[in-house]
Amino acid sequence: MEILDKKSNRMSRANSGVSERSEFPDLQRILDFLSLRNLLSNELFFTFISLQQPI
């Protein structure tokens, strides 16, 4: 029973952390989009560079 109490406590702390972050959902979406766009840009750049090098 004590194990279930510990798991339940961890879950409630995790849920409260998620609800704190969701206070600014638009900001979170913008930051997520910018991160993904940056990642895609880096991938495209390195793909382009690797294609430019002679084999």
Side-chain angles (χ1 to χ4, degrees):
M1 192 67 177
E2 186 178 324
I3 292 171
L4 291 176
D5 290 339
K6 286 181 181 179
K7 285 185 179 180
S8 152
N9 190 16
R10 272 185 269 167
M11 288 298 289
S12 65
R13 280 186 294 182
N15 288 339
S16 68
V18 168
S19 67
E20 287 173 9
R21 275 186 250 135
S22 66
E23 290 176 11
F24 304 103
D26 292 336
L27 178 60
Q28 186 63 45
R29 278 190 225 122
I30 290 168
L31 294 176
D32 288 344
F33 173 76
L34 292 175
S35 298
L36 288 173
R37 188 178 72 174
N38 189 28
L39 178 65
L40 178 62
S41 175
N42 291 342
E43 290 297 320
L44 289 174
F45 174 75
F46 287 119
T47 302
F48 177 76
I49 293 298
S50 66
L51 292 174
Q52 296 299 315
Q53 295 179 357
I55 299 176

Coordinates of all heavy atoms in Angstrom, one line a residue:
M1 N 0.8 -1.2 0.0 CA 0.0 0.0 0.0 C 0.9 1.3 0.0 O 0.5 2.2 -0.6 CB -0.9 -0.1 1.2 CG -2.0 1.0 1.2 SD -3.1 0.5 -0.2 CE -4.3 1.8 0.1
E2 N 2.0 1.2 0.7 CA 2.9 2.3 0.8 C 3.5 2.7 -0.6 O 3.6 3.8 -1.0 CB 4.0 2.0 1.7 CG 4.9 3.2 2.0 CD 6.0 2.9 3.0 OE1 5.7 2.1 3.9 OE2 7.1 3.4 2.8
I3 N 3.7 1.6 -1.4 CA 4.2 1.8 -2.8 C 3.2 2.6 -3.6 O 3.6 3.5 -4.4 CB 4.6 0.5 -3.4 CG1 5.8 -0.1 -2.7 CG2 4.9 0.7 -4.9 CD1 6.1 -1.6 -3.1
L4 N 1.9 2.2 -3.5 CA 0.9 2.9 -4.3 C 0.8 4.4 -3.8 O 0.6 5.3 -4.6 CB -0.4 2.2 -4.1 CG -0.6 0.9 -4.8 CD1 -1.9 0.3 -4.4 CD2 -0.4 1.0 -6.2
D5 N 1.0 4.6 -2.5 CA 0.9 6.0 -2.0 C 2.1 6.8 -2.6 O 1.9 8.0 -3.0 CB 1.0 6.1 -0.5 CG -0.3 5.5 0.1 OD1 -1.3 5.5 -0.5 OD2 -0.2 5.1 1.3
K6 N 3.2 6.3 -2.7 CA 4.4 7.0 -3.3 C 4.2 7.3 -4.8 O 4.5 8.4 -5.2 CB 5.7 6.1 -3.1 CG 6.2 6.1 -1.7 CD 7.5 5.3 -1.6 CE 8.0 5.3 -0.2 NZ 9.2 4.5 0.0
K7 N 3.6 6.3 -5.5 CA 3.4 6.5 -6.9 C 2.3 7.6 -7.1 O 2.4 8.4 -8.0 CB 2.9 5.2 -7.6 CG 4.1 4.2 -7.8 CD 3.6 3.0 -8.6 CE 4.8 2.1 -8.8 NZ 4.3 0.9 -9.5
S8 N 1.3 7.5 -6.3 CA 0.2 8.5 -6.4 C 0.8 9.9 -6.1 O 0.4 10.9 -6.8 CB -0.9 8.1 -5.4 OG -1.6 9.2 -5.0
N9 N 1.6 10.0 -5.1 CA 2.2 11.3 -4.8 C 3.1 11.8 -5.9 O 3.0 13.0 -6.3 CB 3.1 11.1 -3.5 CG 3.6 12.4 -2.9 OD1 3.0 13.5 -3.3 ND2 4.6 12.4 -2.1
R10 N 3.9 10.9 -6.6 CA 4.7 11.4 -7.7 C 3.8 11.8 -8.9 O 4.1 12.8 -9.5 CB 5.6 10.2 -8.2 CG 6.9 10.2 -7.4 CD 7.8 9.2 -7.9 NE 7.5 8.0 -7.1 CZ 7.9 6.8 -7.4 NH1 8.6 6.5 -8.5 NH2 7.6 5.7 -6.7
M11 N 2.7 11.1 -9.1 CA 1.8 11.5 -10.2 C 1.2 12.8 -9.9 O 1.0 13.6 -10.8 CB 0.7 10.4 -10.4 CG 1.2 9.1 -11.0 SD 1.8 9.3 -12.6 CE 0.3 9.7 -13.5
S12 N 0.8 13.1 -8.7 CA 0.1 14.3 -8.4 C 1.1 15.5 -8.6 O 0.8 16.6 -9.0 CB -0.5 14.4 -7.0 OG 0.4 14.3 -6.0
R13 N 2.4 15.3 -8.2 CA 3.4 16.3 -8.4 C 3.6 16.5 -9.9 O 3.8 17.7 -10.3 CB 4.7 15.9 -7.7 CG 4.7 16.2 -6.2 CD 6.0 15.9 -5.6 NE 6.3 14.5 -5.8 CZ 7.4 13.9 -5.3 NH1 8.3 14.6 -4.7 NH2 7.5 12.6 -5.5
A14 N 3.6 15.5 -10.7 CA 3.8 15.6 -12.1 C 2.6 16.4 -12.7 O 2.8 17.2 -13.6 CB 4.0 14.2 -12.8
N15 N 1.4 16.0 -12.3 CA 0.3 16.7 -12.8 C 0.2 18.2 -12.5 O -0.1 19.0 -13.3 CB -1.0 16.0 -12.3 CG -1.2 14.7 -13.0 OD1 -0.7 14.4 -14.0 ND2 -2.0 13.9 -12.3
S16 N 0.7 18.5 -11.3 CA 0.7 19.9 -10.9 C 1.8 20.7 -11.7 O 1.6 21.8 -12.0 CB 1.0 20.1 -9.4 OG 2.3 19.7 -9.0
G17 N 2.9 20.0 -12.0 CA 3.9 20.6 -12.9 C 3.3 20.9 -14.3 O 3.6 22.0 -14.8
V18 N 2.6 20.0 -14.8 CA 2.0 20.2 -16.1 C 1.0 21.3 -16.1 O 0.9 22.1 -17.0 CB 1.3 18.9 -16.6 CG1 0.4 19.1 -17.8 CG2 2.3 17.8 -16.9
S19 N 0.1 21.4 -15.0 CA -0.8 22.5 -15.0 C -0.2 23.8 -14.8 O -0.7 24.8 -15.3 CB -1.8 22.2 -13.8 OG -1.2 22.3 -12.6
E20 N 1.0 23.9 -14.1 CA 1.7 25.2 -14.0 C 2.2 25.6 -15.4 O 2.1 26.8 -15.7 CB 2.8 25.0 -13.0 CG 2.4 24.9 -11.6 CD 3.6 24.6 -10.7 OE1 4.8 24.6 -11.2 OE2 3.4 24.3 -9.5
R21 N 2.7 24.7 -16.2 CA 3.2 25.0 -17.5 C 2.1 25.4 -18.4 O 2.3 26.1 -19.4 CB 4.0 23.9 -18.1 CG 5.4 23.9 -17.6 CD 6.2 22.8 -18.2 NE 6.5 21.8 -17.2 CZ 6.4 20.5 -17.4 NH1 6.0 20.0 -18.5 NH2 6.7 19.7 -16.4
S22 N 0.9 24.9 -18.2 CA -0.2 25.2 -19.2 C -0.9 26.5 -18.9 O -1.9 26.8 -19.5 CB -1.2 24.1 -19.1 OG -1.9 24.0 -17.9
E23 N -0.3 27.3 -18.0 CA -0.9 28.7 -17.7 C -0.7 29.6 -19.0 O -1.4 30.5 -19.2 CB -0.2 29.3 -16.5 CG -0.6 28.7 -15.2 CD 0.1 29.3 -14.0 OE1 0.8 30.3 -14.2 OE2 0.0 28.7 -12.9
F24 N 0.3 29.3 -19.8 CA 0.6 30.0 -21.0 C 0.7 29.1 -22.2 O 1.7 28.9 -22.8 CB 2.0 30.8 -20.8 CG 2.1 31.6 -19.6 CD1 2.8 31.2 -18.5 CD2 1.4 32.9 -19.6 CE1 2.9 32.0 -17.4 CE2 1.5 33.7 -18.5 CZ 2.2 33.3 -17.4
P25 N -0.5 28.5 -22.5 CA -0.5 27.5 -23.6 C 0.0 28.1 -25.0 O 0.7 27.4 -25.7 CB -1.9 27.0 -23.7 CG -2.7 28.1 -23.0 CD -1.8 28.8 -22.0
D26 N -0.4 29.4 -25.3 CA 0.0 29.9 -26.5 C 1.5 30.1 -26.6 O 2.2 29.8 -27.6 CB -0.7 31.3 -26.7 CG -2.1 31.1 -26.9 OD1 -2.6 30.0 -27.4 OD2 -2.9 32.1 -26.7
L27 N 2.1 30.6 -25.5 CA 3.6 30.7 -25.4 C 4.2 29.4 -25.6 O 5.2 29.3 -26.3 CB 4.0 31.4 -24.1 CG 5.5 31.6 -23.9 CD1 6.1 32.4 -25.0 CD2 5.7 32.1 -22.5
Q28 N 3.7 28.4 -24.9 CA 4.3 27.0 -25.1 C 4.2 26.5 -26.5 O 5.2 25.9 -27.0 CB 3.6 26.1 -24.1 CG 4.2 24.7 -24.0 CD 5.6 24.7 -23.5 OE1 5.9 25.4 -22.5 NE2 6.5 24.0 -24.1
R29 N 3.1 26.8 -27.2 CA 3.0 26.3 -28.6 C 4.0 27.1 -29.4 O 4.6 26.5 -30.3 CB 1.6 26.6 -29.1 CG 0.6 25.5 -28.7 CD -0.7 25.6 -29.4 NE -1.7 25.4 -28.3 CZ -2.6 26.3 -28.0 NH1 -2.8 27.4 -28.7 NH2 -3.5 26.0 -27.1
I30 N 4.2 28.4 -29.2 CA 5.1 29.1 -30.0 C 6.5 28.6 -29.8 O 7.3 28.4 -30.7 CB 5.0 30.6 -29.6 CG1 3.7 31.2 -30.1 CG2 6.2 31.4 -30.2 CD1 3.4 32.6 -29.6
L31 N 6.9 28.4 -28.5 CA 8.2 27.9 -28.2 C 8.5 26.5 -28.8 O 9.5 26.2 -29.4 CB 8.5 27.9 -26.7 CG 8.5 29.3 -26.1 CD1 8.7 29.1 -24.6 CD2 9.6 30.1 -26.6
D32 N 7.5 25.7 -28.8 CA 7.6 24.3 -29.4 C 7.8 24.4 -30.9 O 8.6 23.8 -31.5 CB 6.3 23.5 -29.1 CG 6.3 23.0 -27.6 OD1 7.3 23.1 -26.9 OD2 5.2 22.6 -27.2
F33 N 7.0 25.3 -31.5 CA 7.1 25.5 -33.0 C 8.5 26.0 -33.3 O 9.1 25.5 -34.3 CB 6.0 26.5 -33.4 CG 6.2 26.8 -34.9 CD1 5.8 25.9 -35.9 CD2 6.7 28.1 -35.3 CE1 6.0 26.3 -37.2 CE2 6.9 28.4 -36.6 CZ 6.5 27.5 -37.6
L34 N 9.0 27.0 -32.6 CA 10.3 27.6 -32.9 C 11.4 26.5 -32.7 O 12.3 26.5 -33.5 CB 10.6 28.8 -32.0 CG 9.7 30.0 -32.3 CD1 10.0 31.1 -31.3 CD2 10.0 30.5 -33.7
S35 N 11.3 25.7 -31.7 CA 12.3 24.6 -31.5 C 12.2 23.6 -32.7 O 13.3 23.2 -33.2 CB 12.0 23.9 -30.2 OG 12.1 24.7 -29.1
L36 N 11.0 23.2 -33.1 CA 10.9 22.3 -34.2 C 11.4 22.9 -35.5 O 12.1 22.3 -36.3 CB 9.5 21.9 -34.4 CG 9.0 20.9 -33.3 CD1 7.5 20.7 -33.5 CD2 9.7 19.6 -33.3
R37 N 11.1 24.2 -35.7 CA 11.6 24.9 -36.9 C 13.1 25.0 -36.9 O 13.7 24.7 -38.0 CB 11.0 26.3 -37.0 CG 11.3 27.0 -38.3 CD 10.6 28.3 -38.4 NE 11.3 29.2 -37.5 CZ 11.1 30.5 -37.4 NH1 10.1 31.0 -38.1 NH2 11.8 31.3 -36.6
N38 N 13.7 25.2 -35.8 CA 15.2 25.3 -35.7 C 15.8 23.9 -36.0 O 16.8 23.8 -36.7 CB 15.6 25.8 -34.3 CG 17.0 26.1 -34.2 OD1 17.7 26.5 -35.2 ND2 17.6 26.0 -33.0
L39 N 15.2 22.9 -35.4 CA 15.7 21.6 -35.6 C 15.6 21.2 -37.1 O 16.6 20.7 -37.7 CB 14.9 20.6 -34.8 CG 15.3 19.1 -35.0 CD1 16.7 18.8 -34.4 CD2 14.3 18.2 -34.2
L40 N 14.5 21.5 -37.7 CA 14.3 21.2 -39.2 C 15.3 22.0 -40.0 O 15.9 21.5 -40.9 CB 12.9 21.5 -39.6 CG 12.6 21.3 -41.1 CD1 12.8 19.8 -41.4 CD2 11.2 21.8 -41.4
S41 N 15.5 23.2 -39.7 CA 16.5 24.1 -40.4 C 17.9 23.5 -40.3 O 18.6 23.4 -41.3 CB 16.4 25.5 -39.8 OG 17.4 26.3 -40.4
N42 N 18.3 23.0 -39.1 CA 19.6 22.4 -38.9 C 19.7 21.2 -39.8 O 20.7 20.9 -40.4 CB 19.8 22.1 -37.5 CG 20.0 23.4 -36.6 OD1 20.3 24.4 -37.1 ND2 19.9 23.2 -35.3
E43 N 18.7 20.3 -39.8 CA 18.7 19.1 -40.5 C 18.8 19.4 -42.0 O 19.6 18.7 -42.7 CB 17.4 18.3 -40.2 CG 17.4 17.7 -38.9 CD 18.5 16.7 -38.6 OE1 18.9 15.9 -39.5 OE2 19.1 16.7 -37.5
L44 N 18.1 20.3 -42.5 CA 18.1 20.7 -43.9 C 19.5 21.2 -44.3 O 20.0 20.9 -45.3 CB 17.0 21.7 -44.3 CG 15.6 21.2 -44.3 CD1 14.6 22.3 -44.5 CD2 15.4 20.1 -45.3
F45 N 20.1 22.1 -43.4 CA 21.4 22.6 -43.7 C 22.4 21.5 -43.8 O 23.2 21.5 -44.7 CB 21.8 23.6 -42.6 CG 23.2 24.2 -42.7 CD1 23.5 25.1 -43.6 CD2 24.2 23.7 -41.9 CE1 24.8 25.6 -43.8 CE2 25.4 24.2 -42.0 CZ 25.8 25.1 -42.9
F46 N 22.4 20.6 -42.8 CA 23.5 19.6 -42.8 C 23.2 18.6 -44.0 O 24.2 18.1 -44.6 CB 23.5 18.8 -41.5 CG 24.1 19.6 -40.4 CD1 23.4 20.0 -39.3 CD2 25.4 20.1 -40.5 CE1 24.0 20.8 -38.3 CE2 26.0 20.9 -39.5 CZ 25.3 21.2 -38.4
T47 N 22.0 18.4 -44.4 CA 21.7 17.5 -45.6 C 22.2 18.2 -46.8 O 22.9 17.6 -47.6 CB 20.2 17.3 -45.7 OG1 19.8 16.7 -44.5 CG2 19.9 16.4 -46.9
F48 N 22.0 19.5 -46.9 CA 22.5 20.3 -48.1 C 24.0 20.2 -48.2 O 24.6 20.0 -49.2 CB 22.0 21.7 -48.0 CG 22.5 22.6 -49.1 CD1 21.9 22.5 -50.4 CD2 23.5 23.5 -48.9 CE1 22.4 23.3 -51.4 CE2 23.9 24.3 -49.9 CZ 23.4 24.2 -51.2
I49 N 24.7 20.5 -47.0 CA 26.1 20.5 -47.0 C 26.7 19.1 -47.4 O 27.6 19.0 -48.1 CB 26.6 20.9 -45.6 CG1 26.3 22.3 -45.3 CG2 28.1 20.6 -45.4 CD1 27.0 23.3 -46.3
S50 N 26.1 18.0 -46.8 CA 26.6 16.7 -47.1 C 26.4 16.3 -48.6 O 27.2 15.6 -49.2 CB 25.9 15.6 -46.3 OG 24.6 15.6 -46.5
L51 N 25.3 16.9 -49.3 CA 25.1 16.6 -50.7 C 26.1 17.4 -51.5 O 26.4 17.0 -52.7 CB 23.7 17.0 -51.1 CG 22.6 16.1 -50.5 CD1 21.2 16.6 -50.9 CD2 22.8 14.7 -51.0
Q52 N 26.6 18.5 -51.0 CA 27.6 19.3 -51.8 C 29.0 18.8 -51.8 O 29.7 19.1 -52.7 CB 27.6 20.8 -51.2 CG 26.3 21.5 -51.3 CD 25.8 21.7 -52.8 OE1 26.6 22.0 -53.6 NE2 24.6 21.4 -53.0
Q53 N 29.3 17.9 -50.9 CA 30.7 17.4 -50.8 C 30.8 16.3 -51.9 O 30.0 15.4 -52.0 CB 31.0 16.9 -49.4 CG 31.0 18.0 -48.4 CD 31.2 17.4 -47.0 OE1 31.4 16.2 -46.8 NE2 31.3 18.3 -46.1
P54 N 32.0 16.3 -52.6 CA 32.2 15.2 -53.6 C 32.4 13.9 -52.9 O 32.9 13.8 -51.8 CB 33.5 15.7 -54.3 CG 34.1 16.7 -53.4 CD 33.1 17.3 -52.5
I55 N 32.0 12.9 -53.6 CA 32.1 11.5 -53.0 C 33.5 10.9 -53.3 O 34.1 11.2 -54.2 CB 31.0 10.6 -53.6 CG1 29.7 11.2 -53.2 CG2 31.2 9.2 -53.1 CD1 28.5 10.4 -53.7

